[in-house]
């Protein structure tokens, strides 16, 4: 590799790092400002979430104030920290950028300063209001362009233009258009646009989680998690790649950005993957797939998860519980894919001290058992104390966490310190236990976060606040404590801790600039949709294109997510797609009697937003990884997309099989069965897509693997084939049948309509089932029936009813052919997943026999030689 190539790759990495954290590196006073302002922003975010202002009655801010200051900080730092053009100076801040930064921040804070006056004249903005809104929107778009690039800006400009160009739009997209005053009120002077829910979530929740990740990284937790991954998996077949997957999963709750994840763990993992035999493209692709999936890994799941919890109105603790199984499936299947790649390349486990299998099993068993017992004891203790001590329990918690922290810190002194820069030593650990013990205290803040969310059911912001406080305490004390115990100078260690803490405040704030601007710009999209009603227009278009066929609607949503995601961050991508298409999927599924939960629909949008980071031709994460690996960016992206196919399959699965989201789980055995069959289905899919299991897969084995995946993931398909979900009754039994339906059932009528022009259509129409009597239920569904010559006909259609939306009216004779009733005597659908187990076992046993035969032939050849 030439020096020029090396320089080019380092420039690529530098470009991505600068875009993630701010590009200008000025000196003098501007440098101080770029440090002080982020620190002030971090302290402000901690203050507004803290219970202290409410206890003191001082410094309490409402939502308008917090969102105004949040965007004000972000937009100020965008103009000061990011140059206008590629050739603009980076060692100083031009006077124009200072002016733009102050004006933009003033426009943002304007909403807070004049909030009382604005509230007294809703919808009647003054000239000053309109001027502040217009300048604010323009400067917001410019700041977004500087930080996020053109794609996000162009999307916002498109929706902004659509608001004013409505009368000139073609066909059903046309609308009356809006005035400048109305647009100013919507976008800037209310909480229906820029300062709406997305920016509110960024203000209340997202910042603290990004700051929490920065504090973990600054204290050294990132290095510990990486070392822990290598200690546990580094000696296995393809160990560095497996460690890369686990390390990226750990880093998923430190960084919500797949690109930042690649650039954090990639320089270590990619180098070691190449060292053991992975090609540069495959090494980069593994890191891309693992880093992208960090955004779906609880408990943080990136910024989009907080928005999702607000959109679907469920507690964040419930959301991460439902999202846990799919995330684990995605990572376990990626680990299995990496194992298959290592087997195909003929890799062997790293050499190390030989231990009998019995000893290994005993050590792992004792370790896991002791961990589970300790976690259970702590859980029951912390759950029991509030009921005993009441309001004073917080004193016990502080004492308990402090004692536990000091105990774990003392334990860490008994093992060698981890290398921070000599990453080639990460695969040379003699045992995983010293590595585990060296940084267990780093897990306390994460445990506090999970405890606050899941056990105490705190708000996401308050749980993150307490986790950040504990992380700040650890950052300030663990280095001086180690220095004291090892008889080193304490003051330099304390200064080093303070420096790293301030660096974490700065880094967390700079990482938030892009998220804050993306959520603010996405507010323009949300505001346009609510003003113009374009969502209803899209619903009509999508239903027409798809014919009401749900798989087509899902494919359209997936394609739109991937296309938008090629230039947008996952958070902005999720906001736009969920705003436009999630209501369509939810409403159409309800209209056709499928009843898909809103949670599954929004997770579907999120998963395909994550897929975009690894999808060519843009694939920003793949470009970042190739800059480290030295591989071809396009080939890295294609390989990463192949690895990510398992992530693309999961959303389609949990749309139809909501048990994977822990919905409709009957008991513990049902849960265990779901987890086992889902993991096996992921393994079958991985083996099928890579044409390898124990040996190379034959064509009939490939068919068996795919069939096994269908049986395990979707047992309802064979169940519906052998035991149809519905049976039809005659029109004469219609009223009695409607009376038998429960409130959870839909009314499913089979109709034959003779449209004008001679077209005859037979279809099943799904109607809502509300009302006390059968007649009342049909009337509320907008269907009125009458007998004509022994034929049951639709005599009238209700306004805005399902039949009217299908184009059925009084001029089109419509005959009722029957009613479909649910079949309640069907066997449990999970019985139909058993054939999948037999198919997978057949492939495994056949390949095991072939593998033994091949090994015997190789041994015979070696003896003959």
């Amino acid at each position: 590799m030439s020096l020029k190539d090396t320089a080019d790759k380092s420039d690529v990495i530098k470009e991505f790092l600068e875009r993630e954290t701010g590009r200008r590196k000025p000196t003098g006073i501007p440098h101080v400002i770029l440090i002080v302002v982020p620190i002030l922003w971090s302290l402000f975010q901690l203050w507004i979430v803290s219970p202290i202002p409410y206890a003191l009655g001082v410094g309490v801010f409402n939502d308008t104030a917090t969102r105004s200051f949040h965007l004000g900080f972000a937009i100020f730092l965008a103009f000061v920290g990011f140059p206008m053009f590629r050739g603009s100076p980076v060692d100083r801040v031009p006077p124009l950028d200072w002016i733009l930064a102050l004006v933009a921040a003033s426009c943002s804070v304007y909403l807070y300063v004049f909030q009382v006056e604005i509230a007294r004249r809703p919808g009647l903005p003054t000239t000053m209001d309109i001027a502040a809104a217009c300048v604010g929107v323009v400067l917001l778009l410019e700041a977004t362009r500087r930080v996020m690039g053109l794609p996000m800006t162009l999307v916002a400009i498109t929706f902004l233009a659509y608001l004013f160009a409505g009368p000139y739009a073609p066909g059903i997209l046309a609308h009356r258009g809006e005035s400048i005053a109305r647009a100013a009120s919507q976008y800037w002077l209310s909480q229906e646009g820029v300062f709406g829910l997305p920016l509110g979530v960024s203000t209340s929740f997202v910042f603290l989680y990004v700051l929490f990740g920065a504090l973990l990284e600054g204290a050294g937790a990132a290095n510990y998690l990486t070392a822990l991954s290598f200690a546990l998996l580094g000696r296995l077949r393809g160990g560095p790649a497996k460690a890369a997957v686990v390390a990226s999963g750990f880093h998923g709750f430190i960084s919500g950005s797949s690109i930042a994840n690649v650039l954090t763990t990639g320089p270590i993992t990619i180098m070691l993957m190449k060292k053991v035999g992975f090609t540069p493209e495959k090494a980069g692709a593994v890191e891309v797939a693992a880093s992208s999936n960090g955004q779906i890994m609880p408990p943080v799941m990136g910024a989009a998860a907080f928005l999702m919890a607000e959109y679907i109105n469920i507690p964040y603790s419930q959301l991460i519980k439902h999202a846990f199984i799919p995330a684990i499936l995605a990572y376990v299947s990626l680990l299995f894919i990496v194992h298959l790649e290592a087997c195909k390349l003929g890799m062997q486990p790293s050499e190390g001290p030989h231990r009998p299998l019995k000893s290994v099993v005993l050590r792992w068993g004792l370790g896991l058992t002791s961990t589970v017992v300790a976690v259970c004891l702590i859980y029951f203790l912390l759950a029991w104390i509030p009921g005993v001590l009441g309001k004073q329990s917080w004193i016990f918690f502080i004492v308990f966490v402090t004692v536990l922290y000091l105990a774990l810190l003392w334990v860490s002194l008994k093992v060698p310190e981890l290398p921070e820069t000599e990453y080639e030593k990460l695969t040379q650990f003699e045992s995983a236990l010293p590595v585990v013990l060296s940084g267990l205290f780093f897990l306390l803040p994460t445990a506090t976060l999970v405890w606050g969310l899941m056990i105490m059911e705190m708000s996401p912001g308050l749980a993150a606040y307490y986790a950040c406080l504990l992380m700040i305490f650890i950052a300030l004390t663990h280095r001086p404590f180690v220095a004291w115990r090892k008889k080193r100078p304490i003051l330099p260690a304390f200064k080093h801790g303070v420096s790293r803490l301030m660096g974490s405040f700065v880094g967390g704030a700079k990482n938030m600039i892009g998220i804050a601007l993306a959520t603010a710009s996405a507010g323009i999209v949300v505001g346009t949709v609510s003003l113009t009603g374009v969502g209803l227009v899209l619903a009509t278009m999508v239903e027409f294109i798809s014919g009401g066929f749900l798989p087509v609607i899902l494919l359209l949503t997936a394609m739109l997510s991937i296309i938008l995601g090629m230039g947008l961050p996952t958070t902005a991508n999720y906001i736009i797609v969920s705003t436009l298409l999630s209501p369509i999927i939810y409403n159409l599924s309800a209209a056709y009697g499928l009843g898909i939960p809103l949670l599954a629909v929004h997770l579907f949008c999120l998963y395909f937003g994550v897929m975009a980071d690894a999808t060519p031709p843009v694939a920003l994460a793949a470009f970042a990884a190739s800059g480290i690996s030295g591989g071809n960016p396009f080939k890295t992206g294609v390989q990463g997309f192949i690895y990510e196919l398992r992530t693309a399959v999961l959303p389609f699965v949990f749309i139809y099989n909501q048990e994977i989201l822990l919905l409709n789980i009957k008991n513990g055995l049902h849960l265990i069965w779901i987890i086992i069959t889902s993991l096996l289905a992921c393994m079958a899919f991985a083996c099928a897509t890579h044409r390898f299991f124990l040996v190379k897969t034959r064509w009939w084995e490939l068919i068996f693997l795919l069939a096994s995946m269908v049986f395990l993931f979707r047992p309802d398909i064979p169940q519906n084939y052998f035991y149809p979900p519905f049976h039809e009754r005659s029109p004469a039994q219609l009223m009695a049948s409607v009376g038998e339906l429960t409130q959870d059932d839909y009314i499913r009528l089979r109709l034959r309509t003779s449209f004008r022009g001679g077209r005859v259509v037979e279809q099943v129409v799904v109607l809502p089932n509300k009302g006390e009597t059968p007649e009342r239920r049909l009337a509320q569904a907008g269907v009125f029936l009458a007998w004509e010559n022994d034929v049951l006909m639709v005599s009238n259609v209700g306004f805005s009813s399902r039949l009217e939306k299908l184009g059925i009216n009084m001029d089109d004779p419509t005959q009722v052919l029957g009613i479909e009733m649910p079949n309640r005597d069907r066997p449990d659908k999970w019985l139909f997943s058993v054939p999948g187990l037999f198919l997978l076992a057949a492939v495994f046993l056949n390949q095991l026999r072939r593998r033994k035969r091949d090994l015997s032939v190789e041994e015979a050849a070696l003896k003959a030689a």
Side-chain angles (χ1 to χ4, degrees), residues 403-431:
V403 172
L404 185 59
Y405 164 62
L406 292 175
L408 294 177
L409 196 57
W410 180 80
V411 169
S412 70
L413 296 174
K414 303 299 180 179
V415 296
E417 293 185 55
L418 295 177
E420 294 191 7
T421 56
E422 300 178 9
Y423 295 118
E424 65 275 6
K425 294 183 178 180
L426 289 176
T427 56
Q428 305 302 317
F429 296 116
E430 292 294 326
S431 173

Side-chain angles (χ1 to χ4, degrees), residues 84-303:
M84 182 176 294
F85 301 110
R86 185 177 295 272
S88 300
V90 295
D91 58 342
R92 60 184 177 85
V93 182
L96 177 61
D97 283 352
W98 284 114
I99 296 173
L100 293 177
L102 293 173
V103 171
S106 299
C107 289
S108 179
V109 178
Y110 180 90
L111 191 65
Y112 162 68
V113 175
F114 297 99
Q115 59 179 323
V116 177
E117 290 82 352
I118 294 172
R120 289 174 179 171
R121 40 181 166 79
L124 299 172
T126 63
T127 303
M128 183 179 294
D129 293 341
I130 296 174
C134 292
V135 173
V137 168
V138 171
L139 292 181
L140 171 64
L141 294 174
E142 167 59 14
T144 304
R145 182 195 67 81
R146 293 190 183 197
V147 179
M148 308 303 298
L150 273 177
M152 183 68 216
T153 310
L154 291 177
V155 169
I157 290 174
T158 300
F159 279 84
L160 192 63
Y162 176 68
L163 180 70
F164 297 108
Y168 310 102
I172 61 174
L173 290 175
H175 63 90
R176 66 178 184 179
E178 297 291 347
S179 65
I180 294 291
R182 182 73 180 92
S185 296
Q186 180 77 7
Y187 289 139
W188 201 263
L189 302 176
S190 70
Q191 293 188 359
E192 301 296 326
V194 170
F195 296 95
L197 179 62
L199 186 66
V201 172
S202 174
T203 304
S204 302
F205 306 143
V206 178
F207 190 102
L208 286 188
Y209 284 82
V210 173
L211 178 61
F212 177 63
L215 290 170
L216 278 170
E217 189 169 0
N223 181 63
Y224 168 70
L225 293 175
T226 303
L228 180 62
S229 304
F230 278 95
L232 294 174
L233 301 172
R235 291 189 175 278
L236 302 178
R237 190 192 305 266
K242 294 174 181 176
V245 174
V246 175
S248 294
F250 285 147
H251 283 262
F253 61 80
I254 292 180
S255 169
S257 167
S258 57
I259 298 174
N261 201 338
V262 168
L263 296 172
T264 301
T265 61
I268 310 166
T269 59
I270 291 176
M271 177 194 72
L272 293 173
M273 279 189 275
K274 289 171 62 179
K275 188 176 180 180
V276 297
F278 282 89
T279 64
E281 287 76 18
K282 287 190 175 182
V286 169
E287 183 60 45
V288 167
S291 297
S292 298
N293 285 162
Q295 299 172 89
I296 62 175
M297 175 58 71
V300 177
M301 296 178 62

Side-chain angles (χ1 to χ4, degrees), residues 389-626:
L389 299 181
K391 294 182 179 180
Q392 305 301 320
S393 58
W394 63 272
I395 300 176
F396 171 82
F397 291 136
I398 292 176
V399 174
F400 176 78
V401 171
T402 303
V403 172
L404 185 59
Y405 164 62
L406 292 175
L408 294 177
L409 196 57
W410 180 80
V411 169
S412 70
L413 296 174
K414 303 299 180 179
V415 296
E417 293 185 55
L418 295 177
E420 294 191 7
T421 56
E422 300 178 9
Y423 295 118
E424 65 275 6
K425 294 183 178 180
L426 289 176
T427 56
Q428 305 302 317
F429 296 116
E430 292 294 326
S431 173
L433 183 60
V435 181
V436 172
L437 298 178
S438 65
L440 273 178
F441 58 90
F442 285 128
L443 303 182
L444 279 177
T446 304
T448 301
L449 176 65
V450 175
W451 171 74
L453 287 172
M454 305 300 294
I455 299 177
M456 300 303 295
E457 297 184 350
M458 298 178 182
S459 69
L462 190 59
Y465 169 75
Y466 288 122
C468 285
L469 283 188
L470 179 56
M471 196 63 245
I472 292 171
F473 176 70
I474 291 175
L476 290 176
T477 58
H478 86 274
R479 288 186 178 91
F481 184 85
V482 171
W484 171 63
R485 292 294 299 172
K486 295 191 173 183
K487 302 187 184 316
R488 300 173 185 169
I490 297 177
L491 186 59
F494 178 74
K495 289 181 178 179
H496 181 57
V498 172
S499 175
R500 295 295 293 267
L501 177 62
M502 295 298 105
S504 298
F505 281 160
V506 174
K510 288 186 175 181
N511 288 339
M512 269 301 300
I513 297 173
I515 297 176
L517 295 178
T519 53
S521 298
I524 295 177
V525 177
V526 176
T528 302
V529 171
S530 62
L531 263 183
T532 61
V534 69
L536 297 176
V537 175
L538 281 176
T540 304
M541 293 176 61
V542 169
E543 186 171 8
F544 174 77
I545 294 171
S546 65
F549 190 49
L550 184 61
V552 176
I553 301 173
L554 294 176
L555 284 173
L556 290 173
T557 304
M559 291 172 59
L560 179 63
S561 297
I562 290 176
I563 292 171
L564 285 175
M566 288 180 181
L568 302 185
T570 303
T571 305
N573 184 3
Y574 165 73
I575 294 172
I576 295 172
V577 175
S578 63
T579 300
L580 295 177
L581 293 181
S582 63
I584 300 174
I585 299 174
Y586 179 74
N587 293 330
L588 285 181
S589 68
Y592 286 92
L594 297 176
I596 299 175
L598 194 56
L599 170 66
V601 176
H602 279 261
L603 280 175
F604 184 93
C605 298
L606 174 61
Y607 268 59
F608 277 99
V610 171
M611 276 287 297
D613 280 342
T615 303
V618 180
L620 297 178
F623 190 63
S626 65

Side-chain angles (χ1 to χ4, degrees), residues 507-834:
K510 288 186 175 181
N511 288 339
M512 269 301 300
I513 297 173
I515 297 176
L517 295 178
T519 53
S521 298
I524 295 177
V525 177
V526 176
T528 302
V529 171
S530 62
L531 263 183
T532 61
V534 69
L536 297 176
V537 175
L538 281 176
T540 304
M541 293 176 61
V542 169
E543 186 171 8
F544 174 77
I545 294 171
S546 65
F549 190 49
L550 184 61
V552 176
I553 301 173
L554 294 176
L555 284 173
L556 290 173
T557 304
M559 291 172 59
L560 179 63
S561 297
I562 290 176
I563 292 171
L564 285 175
M566 288 180 181
L568 302 185
T570 303
T571 305
N573 184 3
Y574 165 73
I575 294 172
I576 295 172
V577 175
S578 63
T579 300
L580 295 177
L581 293 181
S582 63
I584 300 174
I585 299 174
Y586 179 74
N587 293 330
L588 285 181
S589 68
Y592 286 92
L594 297 176
I596 299 175
L598 194 56
L599 170 66
V601 176
H602 279 261
L603 280 175
F604 184 93
C605 298
L606 174 61
Y607 268 59
F608 277 99
V610 171
M611 276 287 297
D613 280 342
T615 303
V618 180
L620 297 178
F623 190 63
S626 65
I628 300 170
S629 69
N632 182 284
F634 185 78
K635 291 182 178 179
T636 301
V638 170
Q639 188 65 51
F641 178 78
I642 293 173
Y643 290 156
E644 280 287 75
L645 283 176
R646 83 222 185 279
T647 307
V649 169
L650 282 173
F652 285 98
V653 171
F654 59 61
I655 282 288
Y656 294 97
N657 181 8
Q658 289 99 40
E659 284 91 344
I660 294 179
L661 298 177
L662 300 183
L663 297 171
N664 305 318
I665 296 295
K666 299 176 183 177
N667 48 50
L669 290 176
H670 187 192
L671 174 61
I672 294 172
W673 181 258
I674 293 295
I675 294 174
I676 292 174
T677 54
S678 299
L679 286 173
L680 293 176
C682 287
M683 294 172 62
F685 180 73
C687 293
T689 53
H690 289 77
R691 298 293 303 273
F692 192 90
F693 194 174
L694 301 178
V695 292
K696 188 175 181 180
T697 303
R698 292 174 176 171
W699 67 268
W700 65 268
E701 292 174 331
L702 178 63
I703 295 174
F704 272 34
L705 288 170
L706 292 175
S708 172
M709 183 194 73
V710 172
F711 277 110
L712 295 172
F713 262 148
R714 293 287 313 279
D716 57 303
I717 293 178
Q719 181 198 34
N720 293 339
Y721 180 81
F722 292 104
Y723 297 90
F726 304 100
H727 61 273
E728 189 169 328
R729 291 182 181 177
S730 66
Q733 300 173 293
L734 189 141
M735 286 300 177
S737 299
V738 172
E740 294 177 14
L741 296 175
T742 66
Q743 292 295 323
D744 295 330
D745 295 325
Y746 291 91
I747 302 173
R748 305 174 64 91
L749 298 181
R750 181 174 292 279
L751 306 178
R752 178 192 289 140
T753 305
S754 300
F755 291 99
R756 283 169 292 181
R759 185 168 63 97
V760 179
V761 176
E762 287 191 13
Q763 59 185 326
V764 175
V765 179
V766 181
L767 306 173
N769 180 26
K770 297 179 181 179
E772 297 178 357
T773 64
E775 292 80 6
R776 186 63 179 166
R777 292 179 180 182
L778 290 171
Q780 289 196 7
V783 180
F784 302 90
L785 306 176
W787 288 93
E788 299 179 8
N789 300 324
D790 295 330
V791 176
L792 188 60
M793 302 293 293
V794 176
S795 62
N796 201 355
V797 175
F799 177 72
S800 295
S801 65
R802 177 65 182 157
L803 267 65
E804 186 186 59
K805 292 179 180 179
L806 290 173
I808 299 174
N809 54 54
M810 293 298 298
D811 298 329
D812 303 318
T814 301
Q815 177 185 353
V816 179
L817 301 178
I819 179 172
E820 291 188 347
M821 296 293 291
N823 186 355
R824 305 189 191 280
D825 297 327
R826 299 194 304 166
D828 195 303
K829 70 177 181 179
W830 293 109
L831 294 175
F832 293 88
S833 61
V834 174

